[in-house]
Amino acid sequence: QILGPPMQHSSIAMLVILPAATAFLSDRRHVPVVGVFVGLCLFLWALFAEHLPGSEPWQDAVGLMVGATILGALAWLSERQREQWQARSEAQRQELSVAVEAAQAAAHARSTFLATMSHEIRTPLNGVLGLTRLLSESELPPDAANLARTALSSGRLLQGVLDDILDLAKLESDRLELDPRPLSPRAVVEEVLGLMQANAHERGVGLRAVFEADTPEWLRGDDTRIRQILINLVGNAIKFTERGGLSIRLRYESTGNELRMEVADSGIGMEPRTLERIFQPFRQADGSMTRRFGGTGLGLSISRHLCRLMEGELTVESRPGEGSTFIAAFPAPASIKNSPQEPGTMIPPHLRILLAEDGPDNRRLVSHLLGRLGATVETVENGDEAVKRVLQGGLTIDLVLMDMQMPVMDG
């Protein structure tokens, strides 16, 4: 409007050219087509604009040429930006692909490491524990029996540390799976009480359980992992309590089908700033705790991971000098009792078992244990020998027990 009627006509013409030109210029291959289109518009405008009131055709043509030039420049800049964006996107896609491949390789390496560690460390450790237990159960002089029991206790501590490390690695790599089944929460707590009572007595602290009236008799959950959480929490409470006592309180929130296990102690307590640190792997409230009380700092980290795996949470309330209360809460719907099972271990008489195990210590241990149950045991060192023994005939093999990882041919 400021420049007068001629430029108004040019602006109207640009409104006609702009949509088509913008559409075509999204691909630079269309630039020649747009050039022809703009030239045709200029020619037609110059030819007919003199019939419009207040119009100067060549002024309008110049206005159109300026507008077309600006449009072309904008289109060229847009095309350059599009090319740069595509180049950056391709580079980012390649970087992401490399990162994904590296993560997959790392996950595979971790899985392989876990499987190897589980086999190579657990196998000899199981042999040590089994043979030490058999030795402690045999007739020994008092001093020798005491040494055997001490060795067995130390071996079980080592096994616990190994189990914690492997469990944490599995949890962090999402390889740990739950096994929900009907369970009695009261029975789980009473079993933990029985296991931990001796430790509490040695520390001179009391240990008791409180069951709320609204707790169902049977729930559905992974009793092994629930027991593991309780053992970790009670073990920590005993370790950091020098006088007084601790309690396990079991309650059930029927509105959300949530089981709450509260482990409270009268121990040393913690500063607020340390409450989250204790859930980190290999960490305690401070370095002096490790020197004073020992431990790996894995129990609470594993327990929180397990609670979250069960779609719950593990929290803590504590004050220095007033003790701590750990609260494990997770969904556990009501269930019905399992069908009763006969107690004890029973095997058919004259059972012949073929044991495939590459470790001589474990072969000796397992053969001895199965022999005590009344079975006849044959042993081979790998899967290939086991296959040959079964195929060659002779005395019938009723059961084959195989190690999962063996040379030549595994289980």
Side-chain angles (χ1 to χ4, degrees):
Q1 292 176 353
I2 294 175
L3 295 176
M7 293 306 294
Q8 292 178 20
H9 296 313
S10 300
S11 300
I12 295 172
M14 287 302 300
L15 291 176
V16 177
I17 297 173
L18 184 61
T22 302
F24 276 107
L25 285 175
S26 61
D27 191 332
R28 61 184 177 184
R29 293 175 300 178
H30 296 151
V31 171
V33 179
V34 175
V36 174
F37 178 75
V38 171
L40 180 61
C41 290
L42 289 173
F43 174 76
L44 294 176
W45 187 260
L47 186 64
F48 295 107
E50 61 182 0
H51 301 292
L52 298 174
S55 173
E56 294 293 336
W58 294 110
Q59 291 180 359
D60 291 343
V62 171
L64 283 173
M65 292 176 67
V66 172
T69 302
I70 294 173
L71 180 63
L74 292 175
W76 180 79
L77 291 174
S78 176
E79 175 64 18
R80 289 294 302 274
Q81 290 180 344
R82 187 173 71 88
E83 291 176 350
Q84 293 174 359
W85 179 82
Q86 287 180 339
R88 286 196 300 268
S89 298
E90 180 63 21
Q92 292 174 352
R93 187 190 66 81
Q94 292 178 355
E95 291 177 0
L96 180 61
S97 177
V98 171
V100 169
E101 291 178 359
Q104 291 174 343
H108 178 71
R110 168 175 280 189
S111 299
T112 303
F113 170 76
L114 287 175
T116 303
M117 173 177 280
S118 179
H119 179 267
E120 297 301 329
I121 296 182
R122 283 180 190 268
T123 298
L125 182 58
N126 287 338
V128 170
L129 291 176
L131 293 173
T132 305
R133 183 170 66 84
L134 292 177
L135 182 63
S136 66
E137 293 174 354
S138 62
E139 296 182 1
L140 293 173
D143 290 343
N146 186 44
L147 292 175
R149 287 192 294 270
T150 302
L152 182 60
S153 176
S154 299
R156 285 172 175 167
L157 288 175
L158 177 60
Q159 186 181 44
V161 173
L162 176 62
D163 289 343
D164 284 346
I165 293 174
L166 294 177
D167 280 347
L168 181 64
K170 289 179 181 179
L171 284 165
E172 290 181 342
S173 59
D174 295 327
R175 293 184 62 247
L176 190 68
E177 297 182 357
L178 298 176
D179 182 22
R181 63 181 70 185
L183 64 94
S184 169
R186 179 183 290 268
V188 171
V189 172
E190 289 176 346
E191 182 180 354
V192 172
L193 282 177
L195 290 172
M196 307 302 292
Q197 198 69 253
N199 292 344
H201 181 72
E202 289 179 3
R203 293 281 293 176
V205 297
L207 176 60
R208 64 190 182 93
V210 179
F211 302 97
E212 298 288 340
D214 56 355
T215 303
E217 183 179 359
W218 289 91
L219 299 173
R220 184 170 182 81
D222 190 328
D223 59 332
T224 300
R225 298 306 174 183
I226 295 174
R227 188 181 301 107
Q228 183 177 0
I229 292 171
L230 267 181
I231 289 175
N232 283 336
L233 297 181
V234 174
N236 260 14
I238 294 174
K239 181 165 57 176
F240 294 105
T241 302
E242 297 178 332
R243 61 180 181 274
L246 55 135
S247 64
I248 306 173
R249 181 177 295 273
L250 209 62
R251 63 178 62 184
Y252 191 75
E253 301 289 344
S254 57
T255 55
N257 292 332
E258 184 180 75
L259 179 65
R260 292 173 61 88
M261 303 186 302
E262 301 177 5
V263 178
D265 64 64
S266 58
I268 60 176
M270 292 174 286
E271 296 283 352
R273 57 185 174 82
T274 65
L275 295 185
E276 281 302 315
R277 185 191 308 166
I278 60 174
F279 292 106
Q280 299 174 10
F282 306 103
R283 295 291 297 273
Q284 292 186 350
D286 57 57
S288 64
M289 295 297 179
T290 303
R291 293 190 298 269
R292 182 179 175 186
F293 296 100
T296 60
L298 288 175
L300 291 178
S301 177
I302 291 173
S303 297
R304 172 170 276 190
H305 274 89
L306 289 174
C307 284
R308 291 178 175 177
L309 186 63
M310 294 187 288
E311 300 180 355
E313 187 56 275
L314 175 62
T315 57
V316 60
E317 301 171 357
S318 182
R319 289 185 178 180
E322 299 182 11
S324 305
T325 300
F326 287 86
I327 305 170
F330 45 84
S335 182
I336 57 175
K337 184 178 179 179
N338 263 340
S339 57
Q341 298 179 350
E342 291 293 331
T345 302
M346 301 176 61
I347 64 173
H350 311 297
L351 185 70
R352 181 171 291 274
I353 299 176
L354 177 64
L355 171 65
E357 164 63 59
D358 59 310
D361 294 336
N362 279 333
R363 282 203 306 272
R364 187 180 302 110
L365 172 63
V366 176
S367 298
H368 183 81
L369 293 175
L370 293 174
R372 290 173 59 177
L373 295 175
T376 302
V377 183
E378 295 184 32
T379 62
V380 292
E381 295 185 5
N382 57 62
D384 184 59
E385 293 182 5
V387 172
K388 291 178 180 177
R389 168 59 185 88
V390 172
L391 294 179
Q392 76 180 11
L395 295 174
T396 301
I397 298 297
D398 302 303
L399 178 67
V400 179
L401 298 179
M402 298 172 290
D403 187 7
M404 290 298 295
Q405 293 180 319
M406 294 182 291
V408 184
M409 180 186 295
D410 59 28

